[in-house]
Amino acid sequence: QVQLVESGGGLVQAGGSLRLSCAASGLTLRAMGWFRQAPGLEREFVAAISWSGGNTNYADSVKGRFTISRDNAKNTVYLQMNSLKPEDTAVYYCVAGSNWYQSKPADFGSWGQGTQVAVSS
């Protein structure tokens, strides 16, 4: 059974940086990614990465600011978030699925519990 545990969320000022981590277990050759959900809004795709790490996919809203990466030896995926904006405030979820190029919540069958990111202006 797949288990995903996120960490690294917190409160940061606008323009600052955070790095989220997701420790995974029970995965075999799975793409992984991140979604986020702000209060009152639907879950939004953020980024995804292939099993090898050679392919990545980003939402337009985070391109150039966020970087997804993974360390398969540690079964961990990361989301480096730079130049954070108040609109990045949300609960961030780690996900696992079949394809790195997909971006709908239904495309990812495994979800973590989420970690809160708050960006103050």
Side-chain angles (χ1 to χ4, degrees):
Q1 185 173 354
V2 175
Q3 286 192 319
L4 305 172
V5 180
E6 303 96 335
S7 62
L11 174 63
V12 64
Q13 288 188 331
S17 299
L18 280 175
R19 187 176 82 156
L20 305 183
S21 299
C22 173
S25 61
L27 288 177
T28 303
L29 302 178
R30 303 290 296 278
M32 295 187 70
W34 294 89
F35 279 73
R36 66 187 182 186
Q37 187 168 23
L41 299 179
E42 295 184 348
R43 289 189 179 184
E44 174 190 24
F45 172 75
V46 176
I49 188 168
S50 61
W51 165 250
S52 68
N55 294 288
T56 56
N57 182 23
Y58 293 94
D60 289 342
S61 59
V62 306
K63 279 182 182 176
R65 300 188 298 122
F66 291 11
T67 302
I68 189 171
S69 61
R70 66 190 299 164
D71 184 340
N72 288 339
K74 296 181 179 180
N75 293 321
T76 301
V77 65
Y78 304 97
L79 185 68
Q80 178 67 43
M81 305 186 295
N82 298 329
S83 301
L84 282 161
K85 304 175 182 180
E87 51 263 45
D88 294 318
T89 295
V91 176
Y92 282 70
Y93 296 92
C94 178
V95 298
S98 298
N99 300 301
W100 60 271
Y101 50 82
Q102 293 176 310
S103 59
K104 297 178 182 177
D107 296 326
F108 294 86
S110 299
W111 291 71
Q113 293 299 306
T115 185
Q116 176 72 53
V117 171
V119 184
S120 63
S121 57

